[in-house]
Structure formats: structure tokens, C-alpha cells
Amino acid sequence: MMFFKEVGKVAGLRKKIAEASVDTSKTFLSQVSIAHTRWATHGPPSIANCHPLKSDPKAEFTVVHNGIVTNAAALRLLLQKRGFRFESETDTEAVAILTKYIYDSQPDKRISFPDLIKTVLKELEGSFAFVFKSCHYPNEVVTARRGSPLLIGVKTEKKLKVDFVDVEFAGPEGDAKSLDALAPTSPGGLLAPPSAGPNLLRTQSRAFMSEDGMPQPIEFFVASDASAIIEHTKRVLYLEDDDIAHIAEGELHIHRLRRNDGDGPQVATHRMIETLEIELAEIMKGKFDHFMQKEIYEQPESVVNTMRGRVNFDQNVITLGGLRAYLPIIRRGRRIVFCACGTSYHSAIATRAIFEELTEIPVSVELASDFLDRKTPIFRDDVCVFVSQSGETADTILALRYCLERGALCVGIVNTVGSTISRETHCGVHINAGPEIGVASTKAYTSQYIALLMVALQLSEDRLSLMNRRTQIIEGLHALPGQIRKVLDNDKSLQDLATGVLANQRSLLLMGRGYQYATCLEGALKIKEISYMHSEGILAGELKHGPLALIDENMPVIIIMTQDSLYPKVQSAFSQITARKAQPIVVCNENDDAIPKGVKTIRVPKTVDCLQGILNIIPLQLLSYHLAVRNGFDVDFPRNLAKSVTTE
């Protein structure tokens, strides 16, 4: 077994492998490799903390892991007391050593790899996706998930005979004797083995035969995101929580950690093999320098994809198939509760006002983590909407399950088909923004904004009094892609701002009100996470309640003053800050002559008030990008951040 580890980019690891004396021309009947790009949660980035983690110097068990094992400290203490030595600071190493400990505890009774991993998983708390490999089970892999996303890609030369894999459920006898694996079973304190030979309710495994019934060569790819395997195969199956997949001898068996009984939600008896609709070109940079830049420039197309097949511009009709059956229930709801994190939270704030206007239902917007901390009261006649680009955001998933337990109708707004939120909600809308590789979620914000707006429009379709307003918004949606292109044409002036007025600044305030408050919050978040500059989104109406104290000639300010019903109030805020010698950059409409001469402006086309935020955020996205590039930061991989937040 060979290990290659490196801190930093994958390119560094690739170089290290190329320099090693590995004979890559050798072929094997069966071959297994595991790898993981780690996001540091336990211990700093270092070669010792890199995955795969091994159970001992001989590497009897090796593990890669995405997620957090919350009881790792207790496991580490227990295993250290029993003589095991740890080489890293990670939670994952505790899992590898625990696996060896359980295996060694039964020298006379060798159990199967999946049964061994089941025993290990029953001792773990937290969220995880694991891949296990062992010299005791050569050419076998066991992978399992709870809370973190996991999928398996399948690559064959010929078409498969079946397009699903049966799930093998343990029968009541197999689950009856619960294992307390860490309880001493002898003076030596060894671990109890799992009960051998559980009865199977369904025993048919899938050997992935071709249509003519013959076995064929096969490759399996285990990953947390489809974009990682699209260059190899488009055929994937998504694992569900508590699934354990065992790959050996060209076969894939899916087991369940717990029996499918009546206590919890029923789990499907098979996992469908789906065909991905993304193309390799979609996850490549093409002519752009960074994925973030590419995704900003893709927004004219991504907003069209979100609307495609859903907006009939001839008849001004919105049709969201995923919601149709639930519209009467949503309209009868006593309130709508949005639950999200980060950028998704801002898209919910951006559309809250239009939801309240078109539905006349009270709307609250909650940060998923705070929602859970407060144990917020939720009732059966509430409609809870969960917004997430990946569909795997840990806090949002926990909030979803909290609301499901309380009987609320749960709606999902996600980008990733097959994700946990899309599977566990009652109904929902896929935003169809296409794959997002950069961490910044630029396309996701504008597509979520439009998807939520379309939900509000469809909910109001039965109200004659709102027909003119709905028509006005739908016409605005029709013009939107062209207007976004117009904003992107001004990229050079934004680059000049980043290298001129805003260069070397340590802080930045963004202010606006009404629909533009969300724009300020999202713009500030982008500037924070990409360019590492302190920035803050401020509600202009709150200026006199404290933030005005920050204003002087040295504090850079961006104020959003596009023309809507609140324009006079924002003008008042502009007067207040200029009176304190601020020199704000003003985001305003192209034809606005009321802006005083000599003021630096970012001009954007005018659209309907509830859509203006989409056009206003794009200059701020570009600004954050240019600020980061100017300072030499890695735009696509900002420090300390992960693409999909699968831990609490």
C-alpha cells in the first residue's frame, strides 16, 4: 500500500506522485484507491493530518472522511487508555483506530467488512461520509453516509441490464441484539462482535451485468459531488443517510445501518442509477481566469435556465410542476418560514417583501443555525421553505427534519438534483443554475432569487387584483438576461474602482433599504469571503441608530440608490453621510440625473423594484472578484471556507 500526502493544492500532490517511483503501467484484475481533499476542522493543515488516515503503522485499515465525528475526543481518550497511539489531530484517525480495535477483539471469528463497519458506525456521533479500505479485505471498499453527501458513479463498457440496486435490509432478528461495542465483554475489555448472518428481507445483489446477462468490467467512483466524477461517468446513484455500500468483485451491495421499521420515515427499497445532465465543459474554466469569474459571466444564461419551461411570456403564466399539487395547502398556510444559511439566507430576505405583497401571508426568514438554537415553535399549518444551493447544508437539513417532525409542509429550493433536501421535502423547485465550482455561489444567488420570485408569482395567480403587478414582474423577467449582459459590459470600470478608490482599504460599508437591504448583505458577504476585507451591509433606515458614528472622510461607503418607492428615503441617507464628509460610491440607474456631479457612480439598467436587486448585486460580485485578484488571493478557494457546508 502506498501513501501520498501533500498540503495545499491537488496540483502539488499530482507533482509528488509524478516524482515517485511508481510503475503506472502495471495492470490489475481489481484495484482500489482512496483520496480526499480535507477541509481542516480538527488540527491545522499538515501532512500528518492529511487523509487517508491509517489505524496503525502497518495501515491495516485506512479511512477518508468528509464531516465531523462529534464524539471523537471521547473515543480518542478511550483508545489511548487501551494502548493505541495517535499520529494526527484529526477526528478521522479515531475512526480508523476504532475499526482496528473492533477487528482485533475477535481473532477467532472473522466477520464481513460491511458488518465490521456497521459496528463502528453505531459508536459514532456527528455527520460523516466515509470510505474504508483494509488489507484484511483486499480489493474491497465500504462506504457509508450520515448527514454528509455521498454518491457512487458506475462506469461500464456496455449498457447495464438494470438501472437500480436493491437495498438489503437486515431483518428483525439481525437488529434485535443491539451492540454496545465499547462495553467490556471480558476481563480484557474486548468489543462484542456483530451478530453473524442477519436474515435479509431482500437478498438480490446487483452484479451490473450487461443486457445480454454477461458479467463485464466495471469501475466504481465514490464521491461527495457529481462534478468530481463527470469526466469519468454520467451514471450515478445517490446514497441515503445510514446507507452502507460494499464494493467487491465487481458487485455493489447496499445495506442499511438500521432496519426499515415503522418508527421513522420509510426508506426506498432500491437506489436508482441516474444519468447526470451536466457536461464536462460546464465544470471547466474555459476562457476565464477563475471559476468565480466564469460563473458571474454565466448569469444571463443561468437565469434563463431557471425560468426555462416555467415562464410563459406570451400568456404571462408561471408553472412550477414541483409545487402544483401543494399550491392550495400553501395558500391556506398561516405563515411562511424561510430557513437558510449564508447566500441562500440573503436570497430569502431579498424576496420576503414580494412574498408578503403577493400572498398576504406573514413571512419570517430564519438563519437555520439560530432557528434550531431557539427551538422555534412550528405548527402544522406553517409552510417552511428550505433554501440551499447544494441541498446538503447541515444546519438547513437539521431544521428541515425539525419542521417535518412538527407536521409543517416543507418546501425545498435547491440546485442539486438528488440532494438530501430535494429528497426529504414534500415538494419544491430545482433552480437549474448548473454546476457551481467556485465557493462564492454567485449564480446560485440570482437563480434562487428568481426561483423564489416565481413561487410568489404562482401563489398569487388566483388573485385578479394583482394581475397588473404580476404582468409587470413577468415582463421584467423577460428583459432581465439582456440587462444582466449590459451590467457585465461595465466590468472594466469596476476593475478600476477595485484598483483605485478601494485599493488598500481595510473596511467597507454598504447601505440600502427595502429590496436593496439584501443586496447590501450579499455584497458585503462576497467582499468578506473573497477579498478578506471587512465589509458590512447596513439598513439605511438604521443609520441614525449607531452606524452613522463610523462615517467620516476615510470610511469607504457604497450606497444603493436605484429608483423605487423608497428612493427619497435613501436620498436622505445619502445627504446624511455626505454631510459627514463621506465620499460614497453610488449604485444608481442609468437615467438618474438626480445624482450630484462629481460623485462616483456604478450605473445599472432600471427594472421592476422586486427584480432590481438581481442587477444591483452583479457589480458587487465583480467588485469583490477584482479586489481579491488585485490582492493576489485565491478566488476559487478562499481560506477557511468549504464549497458545501456539511457540518454544523
Side-chain angles (χ1 to χ4, degrees):
M1 193 181 293
M2 289 175 286
F3 284 83
F4 296 95
K5 299 186 178 190
E6 188 58 274
V7 175
K9 291 292 191 67
V10 175
L13 184 64
R14 192 177 284 123
K15 185 183 175 190
K16 197 170 187 177
I17 295 169
E19 291 168 354
S21 55
V22 180
D23 185 0
T24 54
S25 62
K26 273 189 182 179
T27 57
F28 299 88
L29 188 64
S30 188
Q31 186 264 332
V32 173
S33 302
I34 60 175
H36 176 52
T37 49
R38 171 178 175 264
W39 182 53
T41 54
H42 292 70
S46 68
I47 287 178
N49 289 333
C50 281
H51 292 216
L53 273 302
K54 51 191 180 181
S55 58
D56 60 291
K58 293 181 183 176
E60 289 182 39
F61 293 91
T62 52
V63 184
V64 293
H65 166 216
N66 177 33
I68 289 183
V69 178
T70 51
N71 63 334
L75 290 171
R76 178 182 282 256
L77 192 62
L78 184 146
L79 292 164
Q80 282 173 331
K81 283 181 179 176
R82 298 190 184 181
F84 288 94
R85 290 187 61 206
F86 285 74
E87 296 178 355
S88 77
E89 300 168 65
T90 65
D91 52 343
T92 309
E93 191 179 11
V95 178
I97 292 174
L98 176 63
T99 309
K100 174 174 166 55
Y101 179 64
I102 295 174
Y103 181 84
D104 289 348
S105 70
Q106 298 296 323
D108 304 324
K109 198 171 185 180
R110 288 298 173 227
I111 56 179
S112 70
F113 206 2
D115 283 345
L116 173 63
I117 301 310
K118 277 185 190 178
T119 310
V120 172
L121 296 180
K122 286 177 181 176
E123 301 303 329
L124 305 182
E125 297 168 8
S127 68
F128 47 73
F130 286 116
V131 182
F132 293 87
K133 185 177 184 292
S134 172
C135 61
H136 298 297
Y137 304 94
N139 298 320
E140 294 185 37
V141 161
V142 173
T143 182
R145 69 158 281 183
R146 183 192 298 155
S148 295
L150 198 63
L151 58 89
I152 299 175
V154 180
K155 184 180 182 181
T156 55
E157 291 175 0
K158 298 178 186 174
K159 190 179 177 187
L160 297 174
K161 190 174 184 180
V162 292
D163 60 356
F164 63 92
V165 176
D166 283 336
V167 178
E168 301 174 19
F169 293 96
E173 299 85 358
D175 218 44
K177 297 174 186 171
S178 109
L179 296 174
D180 185 5
L182 293 180
T185 56
S186 69
L190 299 178
L191 300 181
S195 53
N199 292 336
L200 296 177
L201 298 178
R202 299 190 66 171
T203 56
Q204 187 181 18
S205 71
R206 290 299 170 189
F208 291 92
M209 293 178 179
S210 58
E211 283 187 306
D212 56 13
M214 297 298 291
Q216 60 175 329
I218 186 163
E219 287 181 272
F220 295 100
F221 302 88
V222 182
S224 56
D225 192 280
S227 58
I229 62 167
I230 190 65
E231 65 183 286
H232 304 291
T233 180
K234 287 189 175 184
R235 304 282 282 158
V236 300
L237 57 89
Y238 293 91
L239 296 185
E240 296 192 7
D241 270 0
D242 290 327
D243 276 357
I244 299 171
H246 178 217
I247 300 170
E249 298 178 348
E251 294 190 4
L252 168 63
H253 294 253
I254 298 176
H255 306 268
R256 292 288 295 167
L257 182 59
R258 296 182 177 85
R259 187 164 53 85
N260 192 24
D261 53 28
D263 296 340
Q266 288 296 299
V267 178
T269 57
H270 56 267
R271 303 286 174 265
M272 297 302 297
I273 300 172
E274 301 173 22
T275 302
L276 297 172
E277 294 182 3
I278 57 175
E279 299 294 334
L280 185 59
E282 292 182 69
I283 60 166
M284 304 302 283
K285 285 182 209 166
K287 64 180 182 180
F288 297 98
D289 296 327
H290 299 90
F291 284 113
M292 181 184 178
Q293 185 187 29
K294 176 178 182 267
E295 286 159 10
I296 291 171
Y297 272 84
E298 281 177 346
Q299 286 176 107
E301 290 76 38
S302 63
V303 298
V304 169
N305 290 338
T306 304
M307 294 187 279
R308 182 172 282 121
R310 294 163 167 178
V311 186
N312 183 326
F313 291 111
D314 296 328
Q315 298 173 5
N316 293 328
V317 172
I318 306 282
T319 308
L320 298 170
L323 288 185
R324 189 183 291 115
Y326 290 87
L327 289 173
I329 303 171
I330 298 172
R331 288 184 185 122
R332 287 199 303 270
R334 76 170 188 175
R335 64 172 175 167
I336 298 171
V337 180
F338 287 103
C339 226
C341 304
T343 288
S344 301
Y345 172 73
H346 297 156
S347 68
I349 289 180
T351 50
R352 172 172 55 187
I354 196 66
F355 261 90
E356 289 173 333
E357 180 188 339
L358 294 180
T359 66
E360 293 186 353
I361 298 171
V363 176
S364 67
V365 183
E366 301 281 354
L367 281 164
S369 55
D370 182 56
F371 175 83
L372 289 162
D373 291 346
R374 297 192 338 259
K375 296 185 173 62
T376 308
I378 290 292
F379 305 98
R380 290 179 64 84
D381 49 0
D382 288 335
V383 177
C384 299
V385 183
F386 301 89
V387 192
S388 168
Q389 191 278 134
S390 66
E392 301 290 352
T393 311
D395 286 320
T396 311
I397 291 169
L398 291 172
L400 161 62
R401 290 170 182 164
Y402 175 91
C403 295
L404 285 170
E405 285 171 10
R406 283 152 183 78
L409 177 69
C410 295
V411 182
I413 309 290
V414 298
N415 191 29
T416 310
V417 177
S419 60
T420 301
I421 291 175
S422 72
R423 291 197 313 270
E424 295 191 11
T425 43
H426 295 108
C427 58
V429 179
H430 284 111
I431 67 170
N432 300 336
E436 278 217 314
I437 308 302
V439 170
S441 296
T442 48
K443 284 195 299 185
Y445 179 76
T446 48
S447 287
Q448 284 169 348
Y449 195 130
I450 286 172
L452 289 166
L453 194 65
M454 289 193 298
V455 174
L457 287 166
Q458 177 141 42
L459 287 171
S460 68
E461 69 187 358
D462 60 338
R463 306 187 59 182
L464 229 71
S465 59
L466 294 169
M467 189 184 291
N468 290 341
R469 176 67 162 151
R470 290 176 69 255
T471 302
Q472 179 195 29
I473 296 167
I474 292 171
E475 285 171 356
L477 287 172
H478 189 258
L480 199 61
Q483 291 177 317
I484 293 173
R485 287 190 187 92
K486 211 168 178 183
V487 176
L488 292 170
D489 289 342
N490 293 328
D491 191 7
K492 181 68 176 70
S493 63
L494 295 163
Q495 193 172 352
D496 294 341
L497 272 179
T499 54
V501 180
L502 296 175
N504 305 315
Q505 295 286 355
R506 296 182 59 85
S507 194
L508 175 64
L509 299 181
L510 294 93
M511 55 184 71
R513 64 188 296 165
Y515 286 107
Q516 303 318 314
Y517 176 48
T519 309
C520 295
L521 293 176
E522 175 62 11
L525 179 64
K526 286 294 154 278
I527 289 163
K528 270 179 227 168
E529 67 181 349
I530 305 301
S531 65
Y532 313 151
M533 180 197 289
H534 168 259
S535 52
E536 190 178 344
I538 292 171
L539 189 66
E542 287 293 294
L543 207 51
K544 288 179 179 173
H545 298 278
L548 200 56
L550 292 169
I551 303 297
D552 62 17
E553 66 272 21
N554 299 315
M555 173 61 76
V557 177
I558 295 177
I559 185 164
I560 301 176
M561 279 180 63
T562 42
Q563 292 164 317
D564 57 22
S565 61
L566 299 175
Y567 183 67
K569 293 185 177 181
V570 186
Q571 280 181 313
S572 168
F574 176 80
S575 301
Q576 289 173 41
I577 59 174
T578 49
R580 273 81 179 176
K581 299 184 180 176
Q583 297 174 349
I585 298 165
V586 179
V587 179
C588 58
N589 290 129
E590 291 169 333
N591 56 353
D592 189 349
D593 302 324
I595 308 298
K597 284 186 171 57
V599 171
K600 287 186 173 60
T601 59
I602 299 170
R603 299 275 177 172
V604 294
K606 186 176 181 180
T607 184
V608 191
D609 54 1
C610 62
L611 288 171
Q612 189 69 58
I614 295 174
L615 298 178
N616 293 353
I617 193 59
I618 292 166
L620 301 180
Q621 292 173 347
L622 287 166
L623 198 58
S624 66
Y625 171 77
H626 291 306
L627 282 166
V629 169
R630 181 201 170 274
N631 292 324
F633 299 137
D634 191 334
V635 176
D636 291 327
F637 300 96
R639 64 190 181 201
N640 309 334
L641 299 178
K643 175 75 199 123
S644 178
V645 185
T646 56
T647 57
E648 287 182 74

